[in-house]
Amino acid sequence: MAEKEVEKLLAEFKKHFNAKTPDVAKCKPILSKMKISMINFQLTPPFTLDENIVKKQLLLARETLELATFLSLVDKDEAAFERHLNQVKTYYTDYAHLLPSSERKWPIMGLQLMFLLSDNRIADFHTELELMSLDDQKNLYVAYPIDLEKRLMEGSYNKVLAAGKSYPHPYYQYFMEKLVFTVRDKLADCTQAAYSSFPVAELSSLLNLPKKELAAFCKDRDWDVSGGKVNFGHAEEDKQDGVPSFRLITESLEYATELERIV
């Protein structure tokens, strides 16, 4: 039977996936075999098989897709992650009345929010939140990305960097590192635009980087580090035409005067 074949493959998959270091090379072909075997499952209504058989097939399919979602992150394949995520969500929504709740559900739903946030898909992020109840949003795995998004919107980048040191699930690390990298670059750009130089100790604290890592960061950006300061190498004067502020102010005042006369 197809169920027994998938069970056997799933056990083999877990053996390699749950090793100290997941063996992606061995897991991927096993996953492909499981998907092929599941073609014989009845995973969409109307269900004509015995109810117990249908539930067993749905549970096997759900677990396979959940593990495939995690495997995609280990393999750093975001396209596969999104594909498997969208597939497994069906089992959390459409088949919720048939299946018991999965312990992997909320970590995966939280990972989806982390994925959207790290990819700067804020509209999609809030769309997914609208589909969750207020109680669901208080779940540890969901509340974490919600809090991160609030910190990003208010510009508390240092809090985002600090949050990168701890997360509710190991698989959050992939998206957290991506988000921290983006935030650190934004902070560096803002600092460079605002200052001609900056103390090394303060920049280390601002970017949440140890001094050794900060030195490599500065080198990548062609910043000069000397005398306890980071020199950003600004040109003495921007040769490009600046904003004609005086002319704009004059015109604005003239428009305001004319409006007063009309009134």
Side-chain angles (χ1 to χ4, degrees):
M1 293 177 67
E3 295 91 349
K4 290 184 178 180
E5 178 64 21
V6 173
E7 284 178 334
K8 181 181 177 182
L9 290 169
L10 193 56
E12 188 181 354
F13 179 94
K14 288 180 179 178
K15 178 183 176 182
H16 297 298
F17 186 72
N18 293 329
K20 190 173 182 180
T21 302
D23 194 332
V24 177
K26 290 183 179 178
C27 287
K28 290 174 80 171
I30 297 173
L31 178 61
S32 298
K33 290 178 183 178
M34 285 193 289
K35 289 180 178 179
I36 292 171
S37 295
M38 287 193 301
I39 292 174
N40 298 312
F41 284 8
Q42 192 174 89
L43 301 176
T44 55
F47 299 115
T48 57
L49 298 175
D50 180 78
E51 184 179 347
N52 291 329
I53 295 176
V54 170
K55 284 185 177 180
K56 187 174 184 179
Q57 291 181 349
L58 290 173
L59 284 170
L60 285 171
R62 185 180 71 180
E63 186 174 11
T64 298
L65 291 171
E66 286 175 337
L67 293 174
T69 303
F70 291 147
L71 178 66
S72 301
L73 290 182
V74 176
D75 196 31
K76 298 183 179 180
D77 187 343
E78 292 188 21
F81 168 79
E82 188 170 19
R83 184 171 62 252
H84 291 130
L85 174 69
N86 289 329
Q87 290 174 331
V88 78
K89 280 174 65 179
T90 300
Y91 296 85
Y92 300 149
T93 53
D94 298 356
Y95 299 147
H97 63 292
L98 292 174
L99 304 175
S101 181
S102 170
E103 63 180 9
R104 300 185 185 96
K105 174 184 176 179
W106 290 114
I108 286 176
M109 297 303 288
L111 281 168
Q112 180 186 27
L113 294 176
M114 290 294 295
F115 166 63
L116 295 173
L117 191 60
S118 67
D119 212 32
N120 201 30
R121 291 163 58 178
I122 304 301
D124 292 336
F125 179 93
H126 284 282
T127 298
E128 290 300 325
L129 283 185
E130 289 295 324
L131 299 175
M132 298 181 189
S133 68
L134 291 177
D135 286 338
D136 290 342
Q137 292 181 25
K138 293 177 183 177
N139 183 282
L140 172 67
Y141 300 105
V142 174
Y144 183 83
I146 290 176
D147 186 52
L148 282 178
E149 192 267 345
K150 288 179 180 177
R151 291 176 178 180
L152 284 172
M153 292 303 103
E154 67 186 21
S156 300
Y157 295 139
N158 59 326
K159 293 181 180 179
V160 176
L161 294 177
K165 296 178 181 178
S166 61
Y167 21 82
H169 195 281
Y171 290 114
Y172 279 51
Q173 181 178 0
Y174 174 78
F175 293 122
M176 196 64 222
E177 286 178 353
K178 183 179 176 182
L179 188 61
V180 165
F181 180 83
T182 302
V183 168
R184 187 170 284 136
D185 266 2
K186 283 186 177 181
L187 276 173
D189 289 341
C190 291
T191 306
Q192 183 176 10
Y195 302 94
S196 59
S197 64
F198 207 79
V200 171
E202 291 184 25
L203 189 61
S204 176
S205 175
L206 180 67
L207 300 181
N208 198 22
L209 281 174
K211 289 188 177 180
K212 287 185 178 180
E213 293 182 24
L214 179 64
F217 185 85
C218 293
K219 185 177 180 181
D220 290 340
R221 283 179 162 259
D222 292 325
W223 291 347
D224 176 58
V225 181
S226 60
K229 289 186 177 182
V230 177
N231 301 299
F232 300 123
H234 288 171
E236 292 183 4
E237 187 176 350
D238 190 356
K239 295 182 179 180
Q240 295 182 354
D241 292 336
V243 177
S245 55
F246 182 77
R247 180 174 60 82
L248 291 175
I249 292 171
T250 302
E251 289 179 356
S252 296
L253 290 173
E254 288 176 356
Y255 293 150
T257 303
E258 290 300 320
L259 282 172
E260 285 184 1
R261 287 175 182 173
I262 294 171
V263 173

